[in-house]
Amino acid sequence: MALGLDHNAAFVLWAFGITWLVLTAYVLYVRSRIGGLRRRLAATAPAGGAPARPVTQPGR
Amino acid sequence: MTTRVLGWASLILMAIAVYGTFVLARPDRVQGDAARIVYFHVPMAWVAFLAFFVVFVASIAYLRTRSSRWDRLGRASAEVGVVFTTLVLITGAIWGYPIWGTWWSWDPKLTTTSILWFMYLAYLMIRSYAEGDRGPTFAAIVGIVGFVDVPIVYQSSVWWRTLHPAQVLGPEAQTQSTDIVWVLLLSLVAFTTLYAYLVRLRSEVEMLSERAAVAAAPA
């Protein structure tokens, strides 16, 4: 067997592989959400960078 | 900056933990190489407990202060905790098949862990679907009540007759060789660092979502 492991190695490697696959997929999913939200914020921000805020004028 | 440092640190530590798991650690005399699952199954369980402890603290802090910062932390930690608990159940089942001859048993440890999983899934659903301020409030209550199950899961192999192996570390642990303890502690540090990285990332999603909602709101 690979790495000198015994007949139960397949179970260990499956468990290890599933762990890494799920954790990697989760990291990529969260990072893609961050990227999407940053792009959305950049699109709604006026030139100059700060997001738009309601403007109130005195006397109105 | 801190997030990036945590990300690289967790990657390096995980690589060292993998080396320890498959090269440094020796196979168990009874279970053979199937026992190597303990070097990631146990740390993930502990990290899940840590995650739900953070949810517990953040929930109390939110109910006291009503600050969205605590709600963001609780939600991020709950989601990461559910991911780790899912992996604990899956890796446990994969270990159980060659050792117990079955993928699942209604053993106290497995049953209480699956209850834990359902409770924090409920936290996430309440947080996502309840309207207005009720979402964070009701979720915080679930986060506090749900934490009661964490010590029950941890002690279940001591309190009840169980197929699950006894605690490996801790006050009730049976004596283990130093090899097992050191590789296990190394894996624990690696997975804890990864947890911190994931919670920071997930909290950033919550913060950016709030900003996007404010930006999209009509003036």
Side-chain angles (χ1 to χ4, degrees):
Chain A
M1 285 300 290
L3 301 171
L5 302 175
D6 65 21
H7 58 284
N8 283 331
F11 295 99
V12 180
L13 293 172
W14 267 107
F16 178 73
I18 289 170
T19 299
W20 272 99
L21 189 69
V22 168
L23 290 174
T24 304
Y26 183 66
V27 169
L28 293 175
Y29 158 72
V30 175
R31 286 170 64 106
S32 77
R33 280 193 70 185
I34 289 172
L37 284 164
R38 283 185 180 154
R39 280 191 295 275
R40 199 199 309 178
L41 277 170
T44 55
R53 287 184 184 175
V55 176
T56 55
Q57 297 196 7
R60 291 199 177 184
Chain B
M1 172 67 175
T2 308
T3 307
R4 192 173 293 183
V5 168
L6 279 172
W8 283 110
S10 58
L11 197 62
I12 293 166
L13 287 169
M14 290 295 267
I16 297 171
V18 168
Y19 177 78
T21 299
F22 288 102
V23 178
L24 295 180
R26 288 172 290 175
D28 184 73
R29 263 177 295 159
V30 174
Q31 299 178 21
D33 285 306
R36 293 181 193 273
I37 289 179
V38 78
Y39 298 114
F40 41 100
H41 173 80
V42 171
M44 288 196 295
W46 286 353
V47 167
F49 294 165
L50 171 65
F52 298 140
F53 175 70
V54 170
V55 174
F56 175 70
V57 170
S59 297
I60 292 172
Y62 174 77
L63 290 176
R64 290 189 68 181
T65 64
R66 297 291 169 171
S67 167
S68 61
R69 178 176 153 234
W70 294 111
D71 174 52
R72 284 197 300 266
L73 175 61
R75 191 175 187 182
S77 191
E79 186 172 294
V80 174
V82 166
V83 169
F84 276 106
T85 308
T86 308
L87 288 171
V88 166
L89 290 169
I90 292 172
T91 54
I94 293 173
W95 173 86
Y97 187 74
I99 304 302
W100 297 341
T102 180
W103 297 106
W104 182 261
S105 154
W106 291 108
D107 171 88
K109 182 80 93 176
L110 276 66
T111 306
T112 50
T113 304
S114 54
I115 290 170
L116 188 72
W117 185 79
F118 276 114
M119 284 201 286
Y120 285 92
L121 208 58
Y123 174 102
L124 294 174
M125 291 178 70
I126 290 167
R127 183 61 191 81
S128 293
Y129 297 117
E131 293 177 353
D133 290 339
R134 295 196 297 178
T137 302
F138 291 164
I141 294 168
V142 172
I144 292 168
V145 171
F147 185 71
V148 169
D149 194 33
V150 169
I152 293 173
V153 174
Y154 181 70
Q155 286 291 96
S156 58
S157 55
V158 175
W159 290 342
W160 294 296
R161 194 176 301 161
T162 174
L163 287 173
H164 193 281
Q167 295 169 7
V168 181
L169 289 178
E172 306 280 352
Q174 297 171 356
T175 307
Q176 302 290 343
S177 76
T178 50
D179 287 355
I180 292 173
V181 170
W182 280 111
V183 177
L184 197 55
L185 285 174
L186 175 65
S187 288
L188 182 64
V189 170
F191 276 98
T192 305
T193 310
L194 178 64
Y195 160 77
Y197 172 63
L198 292 174
V199 167
R200 278 198 72 99
L201 277 186
R202 190 61 185 80
S203 296
E204 193 174 342
V205 169
E206 291 299 310
M207 198 169 57
L208 291 171
S209 296
E210 281 176 20
R211 282 194 204 160
V214 167

